[in-house]
Amino acid sequence: MSELQTQYFDEDGKIIIKRSQDVQDILDFNKERNIDGHNRKSDMKLAGSIPFVVIEMWMKECGAKLGSQEFNEYCKKKMMSGEFSKLVANGF
C-alpha cells in the first residue's frame, strides 16, 4: 500500500496542508484485475481500489462520511462515470 504524505506550509499567515500519495501500485493492481478471466470464478468481485487521497477528495465533494450510504453511492457514481476508470477492477 502506498504511503500517504502530509506537508504543512505557512503562506501569508495561513496554514496550508498538502496531502499526496504515490498511487501507481494501486493503478497497477486494478489494471492487473482487469485482465480477462482474472478472478472471474469467485462470487465476490472486487469493484476497485481507491487511493486514500481520492477518498478524502470525494468525501469533501459530497459532504458525506466514509462508510455512509450516501458516500458509498457517490463513490459508485464516480467509478461508473468513466472519469476514474483506472480505479475500477474486474469490469465493475
Side-chain angles (χ1 to χ4, degrees):
M1 177 87 103
S2 54
E3 186 176 324
L4 190 63
Q5 302 288 324
T6 304
Q7 296 175 311
Y8 301 92
F9 302 95
D10 182 352
E11 188 174 292
D12 299 325
K14 296 179 182 177
I15 296 175
I16 306 296
I17 302 171
K18 179 183 175 188
R19 305 273 281 168
S20 61
Q21 183 178 12
D22 180 359
V23 300
Q24 191 60 52
D25 289 344
I26 295 170
L27 298 178
D28 291 345
F29 175 83
N30 286 333
K31 183 177 180 180
E32 182 181 316
R33 295 312 174 274
N34 278 319
I35 297 170
D36 282 340
H38 182 81
N39 211 13
R40 300 278 183 192
K41 294 179 183 178
S42 173
D43 288 338
M44 296 191 59
K45 304 247 186 285
L46 175 69
S49 293
I50 305 170
F52 195 73
V53 292
V54 175
I55 289 172
E56 287 179 328
M57 180 179 69
W58 289 354
M59 286 189 319
K60 186 175 181 179
E61 286 175 9
C62 77
K65 293 184 180 187
L66 182 64
S68 69
Q69 184 63 33
E70 180 183 357
F71 183 69
N72 292 343
E73 290 298 319
Y74 190 81
C75 289
K76 184 176 180 179
K77 286 179 187 176
K78 286 291 212 179
M79 291 182 75
M80 293 179 73
S81 72
E83 183 180 356
F84 296 94
S85 62
K86 290 185 178 184
L87 303 181
V88 176
N90 293 329
F92 176 74

